Amino acid sequence: MARIMWKAVAAGGAALVLTGMAAMPAGAAEGGVSFSRVSVNGGKPITIGVKEMVKVHATFRMTTTLRHNSGPTVFPYRGTTENPETLWNVIESSDCKVVDRAKGICDYNEWLYIDPQDLDFGNEDAGTWRTAARVFLPGDSQDIDDVNLPLQVKRATRLTVDASPEPVATGKTITVSGRLTRANWDTHTYQGYAGRGVSLQFKATGASSYKTVKTATSNATGSLRATVKATGPGTWRWTYYGNSVSGASSSGGDHVATQPRALHSASPRVMHSA
């Protein structure tokens, strides 16, 4: 059975999705609980766009013989465990999968939902977060620990590509253009991402992977442009490898066919009779 926790609940049971600062319930932290084997998003960065709610899978183990309320959770946080800024809107967690009943060892699966359209969510939320694990205990107390697991939260990027002319004669010049944009969580739009090194890649027809041919730097509007020689038919794309606050992305591929270079015969010689 899955259990669902909302960040806050309004009168009448309507859900409020609040991503910013969230005060912990009253009650001092308790000992006697430990968390281990914590994994969030498979160790990969959490990359978020501008509209779609992101679903993040997490797993962890809790060990305790104390009585506790259902639904221990792990989640990204900044600040201190006593007064953290948290990054989640809804958490759905599994029941305990018993590992050792006598020792109180349970494994859990969890799904965190993060909504980029939440009013408290903005560009300042990109970067490094820490991971907290928490369980509520009777009497309005809780155990909350930092589990020493950094998380990277990144703004999504997008790329487009256009290669021309199509088809092109072998050995002639191809111009490959495109545009790199990045999610702006303040305006909920994608905007040009300037000054980024982006790799132009080519996959020859029949090949299994792309190879980088050259790099280009995005201009003030995020636009990209490069010229290359056509060596044969294949597919062109742009790839951006990301940074500490921006996710990696690749454009779709633009296939360009090639045709043999035209042969030009010499002009016939004219013979004049004497």
Side-chain angles (χ1 to χ4, degrees), residues 19-146:
T19 306
M21 295 295 291
M24 290 298 178
E30 300 288 343
V33 183
S34 66
F35 296 92
S36 61
R37 302 192 181 191
V38 179
S39 173
V40 179
N41 205 38
K44 298 178 292 185
I46 301 171
T47 302
I48 303 172
V50 298
K51 292 182 179 179
E52 296 80 13
M53 185 176 286
V54 174
K55 182 179 181 180
V56 180
H57 181 232
T59 58
F60 62 95
R61 173 170 290 183
M62 183 178 74
T63 302
T64 185
T65 55
L66 297 176
R67 276 186 58 234
H68 58 275
N69 298 329
S70 60
T73 56
V74 298
F75 51 87
Y77 86 99
R78 283 174 172 171
T80 66
T81 54
E82 290 77 21
N83 187 28
E85 177 188 3
T86 61
L87 187 69
W88 59 272
N89 295 91
V90 181
I91 295 179
E92 181 182 6
S93 62
S94 70
D95 283 339
C96 159
K97 179 181 179 182
V98 177
V99 177
D100 188 319
R101 188 175 302 277
K103 294 180 180 179
I105 303 175
C106 287
D107 284 342
Y108 292 89
N109 276 280
E110 175 184 286
W111 295 266
L112 298 101
Y113 296 83
I114 304 171
D115 185 359
Q117 298 199 69
D118 186 279
L119 293 177
D120 288 330
F121 188 80
N123 292 336
E124 70 279 3
D125 291 318
T128 303
W129 290 71
R130 297 155 72 184
T131 306
R134 177 176 64 190
V135 63
F136 291 110
L137 304 170
D140 290 331
S141 62
Q142 62 179 312
D143 187 291
I144 180 167
D145 302 326
D146 183 307

